[in-house]
Amino acid sequence: MIFQLFFALCRCFQEPKNCRRGNTSTSREPDFGGTENENFASSPATLTDYESLLKKNEETCKRYSFTSGWTKVRVLGEGGYGKVFLLRKKKTKIARKVVLSQPTECGFSSEEIIHIQMSHPNVLKLYCWEQKANILCFNLEYCSRGDIASHLVDLDEKDAKSYFKQLLDGVAYIHARGIVHRDLKPENLLLTKDKVLKISDFGLADFFIVNGREIRLTEKVGTESYMPPEVLQSHRKKYQGPPVDLWACGVIFFKLMTKRKPWSRADLDDKEYKMWARERKGLYKKDAWKDLNKASRTLLNLLLEPNPTQRISGWRSVCHH
Ligand code: AMP
């Protein structure tokens, strides 16, 4: 039995993609002791961590009895994947994401294993997950202001800058753990009642550091308008992890500041993107761009650099701008 478990864990670790689920692509804040995720988060997962991660997950779910005593208050969001509900037990609120998903061979997917390790003020907390037959539930920190996408219209510059700074902090933490998110966009950035930004949805995240070595990625995943050119062209060449998220941060920054997307696709068939890639001056005369000051344009030049090897990589340099 122990050997079977050991070999199953080995398989999951060496081939994390085998444990990816096919269909996950797409008041008072609860205090569950505060240390659950911190325990999970001591360092990026290693082979032997998986067993303890699974055990701790089970214990957390049991200890806080996520399965009983909660009242469904309302639906927070829904899509092809399933639904997100607001649940309440006395004064405590949590969000529960329910998706239809076959159990994987390992009993977990990279989404759960990646998300449960996270413990940072700007990353949404996953308290625990539960799989019953083909229903998968994520018990999550509740963010009463919902996602940033629904606040874009009335967003002022001060808030936009504060959210962008918090996004950078969260992304720096995720990257420091050898993980790339790959689906950063306003819909996946949630806000608490105190305007704290939380990065959510690790359904497309992956390890870019495996066994201490940086690996390149191949899958064309994410949301097209936030994808950098190297992901759109990933059928030709493998790509590095972190520059993908930095590009998405650039598109998000543009959207926070102008309420628009800079282009539909970072592809030379797209008129706006072609102007960006070839000759930026023409683009700067266009509506959304002309309102951006010099510092914002400089930052966008660094984040939206088409060549991923020349894209800004040091977080301190991004923050400096
Ligand atoms: P998702 O499938 O995770 O992208 O969630 C879909 C939508 O549900 C989001 O865009 C949010 O508006 C809402 N939502 C998801 N998770 C939460 C949460 N933890 N707290 C509040 N709203 C959420």
Side-chain angles (χ1 to χ4, degrees):
M1 177 63 195
I2 289 191
F3 281 111
Q4 270 170 340
L5 181 64
F6 177 76
F7 284 119
L9 291 168
C10 280
R11 267 202 313 279
C12 294
F13 183 71
Q14 284 160 359
E15 297 164 39
K17 285 180 186 67
N18 282 355
C19 293
R20 186 179 290 290
R21 293 175 200 272
N23 57 353
T24 50
S25 66
T26 169
S27 69
R28 195 181 83 188
E29 302 287 347
D31 175 12
F32 295 113
T35 53
E36 291 309 316
N37 278 20
E38 279 149 32
N39 291 340
F40 289 136
S42 53
S43 63
T46 63
L47 176 60
T48 47
D49 287 339
Y50 284 122
E51 197 179 349
S52 63
L53 283 174
L54 284 170
K55 230 186 197 167
K56 278 197 180 127
N57 180 58
E58 223 170 85
E59 279 167 17
T60 312
C61 271
K62 252 193 210 155
R63 190 167 342 142
Y64 300 108
S65 58
F66 282 108
T67 42
S68 62
W70 294 88
T71 313
K72 260 184 209 168
V73 181
R74 65 185 168 94
V75 175
L76 295 168
E78 63 186 297
Y81 59 87
K83 278 186 184 173
V84 185
F85 298 96
L86 167 61
L87 301 191
R88 168 182 240 147
K89 192 192 253 182
K90 294 185 182 159
K91 283 186 176 167
T92 306
K93 290 176 179 175
I94 62 159
R96 176 172 291 164
K97 184 169 170 174
V98 182
V99 295
L100 269 179
S101 177
Q102 293 296 333
T104 64
E105 214 179 293
C106 330
F108 57 84
S109 79
S110 37
E111 176 172 7
E112 290 94 273
I113 229 63
I114 284 173
H115 198 168
I116 201 90
Q117 295 175 52
M118 300 283 166
S119 178
H120 186 274
N122 300 119
V123 179
L124 189 75
K125 242 186 204 147
L126 168 61
Y127 299 122
C128 71
W129 79 87
E130 299 165 288
Q131 172 99 47
K132 282 196 187 119
N134 62 346
I135 306 265
L136 175 67
C137 292
F138 294 92
N139 296 311
L140 299 157
E141 178 178 12
Y142 169 56
C143 294
S144 58
R145 286 178 184 255
D147 60 69
I148 284 195
S150 47
H151 291 279
L152 280 178
V153 188
D154 47 14
L155 195 67
D156 63 29
E157 194 175 323
K158 187 169 156 265
D159 278 346
K161 286 187 174 162
S162 155
Y163 294 150
F164 185 65
K165 163 82 178 50
Q166 296 183 58
L167 169 66
L168 294 183
D169 286 347
V171 174
Y173 168 82
I174 295 169
H175 288 179
R177 305 182 61 73
I179 287 159
V180 57
H181 185 284
R182 296 198 295 186
D183 200 18
L184 294 173
K185 56 181 176 180
E187 291 77 3
N188 286 338
L189 305 176
L190 303 176
L191 296 173
T192 67
K193 65 176 190 318
D194 303 321
K195 296 190 176 178
V196 178
L197 175 144
K198 308 271 176 178
I199 298 172
S200 76
D201 201 343
F202 287 80
L204 299 178
D206 210 344
F207 295 94
F208 69 89
I209 304 277
V210 174
N211 295 335
R213 287 188 29 213
E214 182 168 356
I215 56 159
R216 285 177 186 253
L217 306 165
T218 52
E219 296 160 298
K220 183 181 166 185
V221 290
T223 302
E224 270 205 349
S225 47
Y226 296 87
M227 276 184 200
E230 71 271 17
V231 175
L232 288 164
Q233 291 158 19
S234 52
H235 54 284
R236 292 202 198 131
K237 212 173 151 198
K238 292 184 179 182
Y239 59 88
Q240 263 185 301
V244 173
D245 284 344
L246 286 157
W247 177 279
C249 287
V251 180
I252 292 168
F253 180 71
F254 186 90
K255 199 152 184 197
L256 291 177
M257 300 301 281
T258 68
K259 331 284 185 226
R260 300 195 200 172
K261 284 181 193 166
W263 40 73
S264 306
R265 259 170 78 89
D267 181 302
L268 292 177
D269 290 339
D270 183 293
K271 211 172 122 211
E272 269 75 31
Y273 179 70
K274 193 172 172 182
M275 284 175 95
W276 175 257
R278 295 269 159 88
E279 186 263 325
R280 286 170 200 187
K281 275 192 188 132
L283 197 60
Y284 289 157
K285 289 187 192 125
K286 294 213 161 211
D287 265 358
W289 290 87
K290 71 175 186 245
D291 297 332
L292 290 169
N293 64 22
K294 205 169 161 222
S296 298
R297 284 186 195 169
T298 307
L299 181 60
L300 288 169
N301 271 296
L302 297 167
L303 290 166
L304 299 176
E305 163 55 54
N307 182 344
T309 61
Q310 284 169 25
R311 200 169 298 150
I312 195 165
S313 58
W315 288 101
R316 282 184 208 294
S317 345
V318 181
C319 293
H320 173 75
H321 285 279

